[in-house]
Amino acid sequence: MGEYPPFAVTADLVVLTVRAGELAVLLVRRGIPPYEGRWALPGGFVGIDEDLPDAAVRELAEETGLPEPAGHLEQLGSYGRPERDPRGRVVTVAWLALLPDLPAPVAGSDAASADWVPVARLPPGQLAFDHDRILADGLERARAKLEYTPLASAFCPPEFTVAQLRGVYETVWGTHLDPRNFHRKVTGTPGFVEPVGRSTEGERGRPAQLFRRGPATLLHPPMLRPH
């Protein structure tokens, strides 16, 4: 890219999914300085004529090979500590994406590799720049969102069982939920989920009803996150 301007804006992404029963974050291994060889959140510089959401989606595709997110994407926050980037004065606008399980990413651009890394296995303080702080904020936002919105379904395929949805909550919150109480709350909350009229094989061969996300944007009452 050549010399960096005295003031620049980047877009970084906290991309979360549930894989093999674990909450995982999408990380790229930096292939160039600074922090060459370190894990980092996917992201990069915003073009002079580029809108911020477009930059976030473009960087996700360029650095990982993943298409435009099919789940949920929202702005997380902005980070502008003067010394956060050794290349100069760089402010980043971070985004949070909640996606269903996707294929393994393919690194591109200035990333040496890309992978889904289980959050529980990521040692603190290992990410480049201030990405540990951004990731922590993204995790807390995601956990809070699941309490008062139906966004847990963003981690699921278009059609899912209540057991699959419960697995998302248990994975993201790191706790066990009573299956009967969870089923009653999910199916009894207006607009949370909608039956699709079909069933699939459930545990021990018993049919399990399939649902899709309902029209609700807020949960009344909210899901109670164990503390």
Side-chain angles (χ1 to χ4, degrees):
M1 186 175 176
E3 293 186 2
Y4 297 103
F7 187 93
V9 178
T10 57
D12 289 315
L13 295 107
V14 177
V15 185
L16 301 176
T17 194
V18 174
R19 289 172 64 87
E22 292 185 291
L23 181 62
V25 60
L26 182 63
L27 297 179
V28 297
R29 183 84 69 178
R30 288 189 57 80
I32 61 173
Y35 302 107
E36 184 174 2
R38 293 270 294 274
W39 284 117
L41 299 173
F45 288 92
V46 178
I48 191 69
D49 297 320
E50 194 173 31
D51 197 5
L52 288 171
D54 296 335
V57 173
R58 173 185 56 77
E59 284 293 340
L60 181 63
E62 287 181 358
E63 295 209 29
T64 67
L66 295 176
E68 182 172 350
H72 173 78
L73 180 67
E74 68 174 66
Q75 192 173 130
L76 174 63
S78 55
Y79 301 81
R81 185 167 49 85
E83 66 275 17
R84 62 173 303 274
D85 192 322
R87 293 169 295 188
R89 187 72 173 96
V90 180
V91 172
T92 194
V93 178
W95 299 80
L96 174 65
L98 310 180
L99 305 181
D101 191 7
L102 294 170
V106 178
S109 183
D110 58 358
S113 62
D115 203 359
W116 295 105
V117 179
V119 171
R121 304 185 197 177
L122 186 63
Q126 297 300 304
L127 300 184
F129 306 103
D130 54 355
H131 290 183
D132 283 283
R133 176 191 171 192
I134 298 174
L135 173 58
D137 290 349
L139 291 170
E140 181 54 34
R141 171 77 66 85
R143 288 165 178 151
K145 280 277 188 178
L146 263 60
E147 187 165 359
Y148 61 88
T149 77
L151 280 179
S153 60
F155 290 111
C156 296
E159 297 180 357
F160 50 86
T161 66
V162 172
Q164 286 176 306
L165 187 64
R166 188 181 77 249
V168 168
Y169 279 93
E170 291 179 335
T171 299
V172 176
W173 284 350
T175 190
H176 174 74
L177 299 174
D178 180 77
R180 291 185 178 180
N181 288 340
F182 182 85
H183 191 284
R184 183 171 61 252
K185 182 170 291 189
V186 166
T187 57
T189 300
F192 193 168
V193 295
E194 295 178 338
V196 300
R198 295 188 299 107
S199 297
T200 186
E201 289 298 316
E203 296 179 1
R204 301 177 183 176
R206 291 179 296 182
Q209 190 175 10
L210 285 169
F211 294 85
R212 59 174 171 258
R213 180 179 171 180
T217 56
L218 295 175
L219 298 181
H220 301 287
M223 298 292 290
L224 296 179
R225 176 167 40 150
H227 296 284

